Amino acid sequence: MTPPKHIWSGGWEAESEAEARRRAEAEAERQAHAAEQPEAPTTTGPTIAPGSPADPYAPERGRAGTTSRGRVAALMAVTILVIGGAAFAAGLLLDDNGDGKNGTTPVAALPSVGSKPIKPARGQTRAGTIYTQASPAVVSIRTSTGTGTGFLIDKSGTLVTNDHVVETAKTVQVKFGTDGRTIQGDVKGVDPSSDLAVVHIDPGTIPGGTTPLEFADSRGVSVGDVAIAIGNPFGLDRTVTEGIVSSLGRTLKAPNGFQIDDVIQTDAAINPGNSGGPLLDDGGKVIGVNSQIATNGVSAGNVGIGFAVPSNTVRQVVPGLKEGKTVSHAWLGVQIDTSGATNPNATSGAVIGSVETGGPAESAGLQAGDVVKRIDGQAVQDPTELSTIINSKAPGNKIKLTVERNGQSQEVDVTLQNRPQQVPSQTQTP
């Protein structure tokens, strides 16, 4: 089973990784000059959710780059952490472009609505009834590099889709399946950390009778619940598939290399072109935005393991993107070693494999090999818990870490910073 890949029908992966490499190389060069070093270390940008080598929708890319001998195995086992995906009610902030006193303002989440199972009329299936109600609000989104899916969430023309669908595009082509007209959509905002984007269309272009989709509270989703996906797989307009919620609390790599938390796993069939489409519950309410799939290394299509960004993350992020603002996420600035190479004696907690230069962890004196045991008194059993707790904070928050160093416990105060646009280049040996 290969790692999850985005389900965007186009060349998003090669282009995204090329841009990540360019940014990483530029940052490495800047740091080398700043330190007056004769030669900058060779680094690479983050690898973004690679797909199958045989995947025609993800063009073959070069190797992830080279590192000094002895670092390769260690780096492969290091998980980028404290990276996050906007856990709901996590204190996310919006850049208010200097209009506020502190430069940031709190996010007001979109409302959720209660969801009751739809009872189909006699002779209809539940999936068919939900499709009839929801599909008019589902759109095809096309850029110069490929096609994906989006959906309408209000009568003012707000569409939700994935960041990796729109990428750097300022405008996109939008089609409602009900009439087939091509509508220009303006990209209002993107958040690579949660893989979400907002597109705006003229409200007058919305087909008559189209009802915007509403969001359920994803905290109410349970394993085994009905899950219905609507999208444009392989360009097949408004295809519906039905399955169940297979698991909860998964994590995925976002387009900028950070981590998305609380992801919903489903066996509803989703394929290239489904990216950005809604995952619905049995009441026709949105519980997630379809974003990635896992493949078996042979097929580029569905093998029954798909992933959706949870609706509560969408509800938290979209209001700011709709206003063209930037969402800020808390950042600790460490990489976590899951190989055991940095601290082979650690049996629980999160072992720091390396500390990012200039990050809050470095400023606080955290070191490679430190084992994070608690944050503000809350136990950290594993790297996932560390990521989840940090994602519940906001930039500027002060936290107290209890760490184990050389067998001794000590407390370290850290002031979290705003996460950078890309995962920083790893320039030091873990």
Side-chain angles (χ1 to χ4, degrees):
M1 185 73 67
T2 63
K5 64 180 290 289
H6 291 91
I7 41 176
W8 162 242
S9 180
W12 67 271
E13 187 175 39
E15 294 167 7
S16 295
E17 292 195 351
E19 176 63 19
R21 285 194 295 271
R22 285 193 293 270
R23 292 182 183 182
E25 289 165 0
E27 176 63 16
E29 184 176 357
R30 184 191 67 77
Q31 291 184 6
H33 286 304
E36 295 184 351
Q37 295 177 348
E39 183 177 353
T42 304
T43 61
T44 65
T47 300
I48 306 177
S52 163
D55 181 4
Y57 298 91
E60 183 178 356
R61 60 188 185 278
R63 293 189 177 275
T66 57
T67 58
S68 58
R69 187 180 307 174
R71 287 185 55 205
V72 177
L75 288 176
M76 289 178 64
V78 172
T79 301
I80 303 293
L81 199 58
V82 185
I83 48 189
F88 180 64
L92 297 183
L93 299 177
L94 294 178
D95 180 355
D96 61 11
N97 300 317
D99 296 329
K101 285 185 178 181
N102 300 318
T104 56
T105 55
V107 175
L110 293 173
S112 65
V113 296
S115 184
K116 295 182 179 180
I118 288 178
K119 294 182 179 179
R122 185 173 182 178
Q124 289 186 317
T125 65
R126 176 176 51 199
T129 302
I130 291 174
Y131 177 80
T132 298
Q133 295 182 8
S135 62
V138 178
V139 302
S140 167
I141 294 180
R142 180 179 293 275
T143 71
S144 61
T145 57
T147 61
T149 304
F151 57 95
L152 184 71
I153 64 167
D154 60 37
K155 292 185 179 297
S156 65
T158 303
L159 303 173
V160 171
T161 186
N162 283 139
D163 166 78
H164 75 261
V165 168
V166 301
E167 289 189 316
T168 59
K170 301 301 181 183
T171 61
V172 297
Q173 292 181 324
V174 175
K175 282 188 178 182
F176 285 88
T178 50
D179 62 5
R181 289 182 299 157
T182 298
I183 303 166
Q184 177 174 303
D186 298 316
V187 179
K188 301 296 292 184
V190 297
D191 181 34
S193 287
S194 59
D195 197 12
L196 294 171
V198 166
V199 173
H200 180 264
I201 59 174
D202 182 345
T205 63
I206 300 173
T210 301
T211 302
L213 300 185
E214 297 177 305
F215 292 100
D217 185 337
S218 55
R219 290 174 295 186
V221 176
S222 299
V223 173
D225 286 355
V226 169
I228 295 174
I230 303 177
N232 303 290
F234 300 106
L236 299 172
D237 177 50
R238 294 183 304 153
T239 297
V240 63
T241 54
E242 182 178 18
I244 62 170
V245 173
S246 303
S247 187
L248 298 169
R250 298 301 195 196
T251 59
L252 293 176
K253 184 180 287 187
N256 63 356
F258 285 104
Q259 179 174 297
I260 304 174
D261 289 336
D262 298 323
V263 171
I264 297 171
Q265 180 184 333
T266 180
D267 69 348
I270 51 180
N271 287 286
N274 271 111
S275 275
L279 187 67
L280 307 167
D281 64 10
D282 58 5
K285 309 304 181 187
V286 178
I287 58 174
V289 176
N290 298 318
S291 181
Q292 298 186 31
I293 59 175
T295 63
N296 59 11
V298 178
S299 170
N302 169 69
V303 293
I305 302 178
F307 303 98
V309 178
S311 60
N312 282 0
T313 296
V314 186
R315 292 170 50 214
Q316 190 79 63
V317 171
V318 164
L321 299 184
K322 183 179 177 180
E323 297 180 14
K325 296 182 177 181
T326 301
V327 180
S328 298
H329 302 263
W331 182 55
L332 179 59
V334 300
Q335 294 194 16
I336 298 302
D337 181 11
T338 58
S339 69
T342 307
N343 189 333
N345 298 319
T347 58
S348 65
V351 180
I352 296 177
S354 61
V355 178
E356 296 294 349
T357 303
E362 183 189 55
S363 299
L366 290 170
Q367 302 174 7
D370 286 350
V371 184
V372 181
K373 293 289 190 177
R374 293 181 177 273
I375 298 178
D376 291 336
Q378 184 175 350
V380 175
Q381 300 293 338
D382 53 43
T384 298
E385 287 190 354
L386 174 60
S387 177
T388 299
I389 295 172
I390 296 300
N391 287 335
S392 70
K393 308 295 182 179
N397 284 172
K398 295 181 179 180
I399 60 174
K400 186 179 295 293
L401 271 63
T402 303
V403 302
E404 184 180 284
R405 181 181 298 169
N406 299 323
Q408 301 294 318
S409 179
Q410 58 183 284
E411 293 186 338
V412 179
D413 293 322
V414 182
T415 300
L416 299 173
Q417 295 179 10
N418 185 23
R419 182 185 304 157
Q421 293 184 350
Q422 296 281 144
V423 170
S425 304
Q426 178 62 28
T427 59
Q428 68 268 38
T429 301

